[in-house]
Amino acid sequence: MAGAFKILVVNGPNLGLLGRREPEVYGRCTLADIESDLRQDARRLGVSLLFFQSDVEGELVRRIGQAAGEADGILLNPAAYTHTSIALRDAVSACGLPCVEVHLTNTAAREEFRHRSYTAAVCIGWVAGFGADSYRLALEGLVRRLRAAGTPRAGIEKRRSGA
Ligand code: DQA
């Protein structure tokens, strides 16, 4: 999709197990279901998507680091690393792309250790608690923000030139 905004969707540890993983908490949708629904939403919105999932913190950091120059924005469900990873927070901050944090569950209503997010403060927004719909809502919010800011990948050029 030439000239369309490109968004990298990053999912962290254990999200590859969705569908089988504590379905009473996370629902019955698999990550493949979520990605296929998001692809439809992306088509409707006229944007393109890249997907990445890893259980390994360093791989998530590396993928986010590669996103500048390639994508216009990021949807990130850091999963458990939300609550522990300064490295992931620094990666989001360093890549300079607008990022929306996504959670299936309302982490603020769960165990206390899930109340803290290291990554939320370097994101432009945060969507949690709507199950698989959290991803669609986050995508819509990110696309609105990108459209308001300008043309695809313009942000990267601006950041490179320091404007
Ligand atoms: C999660 C919430 C995290 O606390 C948890 O560790 C996950 C999933 C969510 O999408 O609700 O793995 O990010």
Side-chain angles (χ1 to χ4, degrees):
M1 214 177 285
F5 287 110
K6 194 183 276 184
I7 290 151
L8 173 65
V9 182
V10 178
N11 280 291
N14 301 309
L15 294 172
L17 299 175
L18 286 176
R20 283 177 288 146
R21 175 192 181 195
E22 298 174 86
E24 66 291 355
V25 177
Y26 295 109
R28 299 213 170 263
C29 278
T30 64
L31 190 56
D33 294 334
I34 290 173
E35 290 182 355
S36 126
D37 286 353
L38 263 187
R39 267 199 199 93
Q40 283 192 32
D41 295 323
R43 218 169 291 132
R44 177 174 52 80
L45 292 165
V47 300
S48 67
L49 301 178
L50 301 164
F51 293 100
F52 184 75
Q53 190 275 328
S54 177
D55 296 332
V56 180
E57 186 177 17
E59 288 180 1
L60 295 163
V61 167
R62 192 175 306 129
R63 186 65 189 92
I64 290 168
Q66 288 164 349
E70 178 189 17
D72 298 288
I74 300 176
L75 292 189
L76 173 64
N77 185 346
Y81 291 137
T82 308
H83 320 297
T84 62
S85 180
I86 296 169
L88 216 46
R89 176 198 174 109
D90 285 352
V92 171
S93 187
C95 85
L97 295 174
C99 179
V100 179
E101 183 166 319
V102 185
H103 296 284
L104 295 147
T105 61
N106 178 4
T107 48
R110 298 183 62 194
E111 302 94 324
E112 198 151 343
F113 65 85
R114 295 187 206 273
H115 296 182
R116 163 187 280 191
S117 167
Y118 279 100
T119 35
V122 290
C123 289
I124 60 166
W126 192 83
V127 181
F130 296 96
D133 282 344
S134 291
Y135 287 85
R136 177 177 51 78
L137 296 168
L139 179 66
E140 287 173 355
L142 178 58
V143 170
R144 272 179 187 238
R145 185 62 75 85
L146 289 171
R147 291 214 166 109
T151 51
R153 249 102 46 216
I156 290 161
E157 294 313 319
K158 259 189 232 155
R159 277 188 296 281
R160 279 204 187 117
S161 66

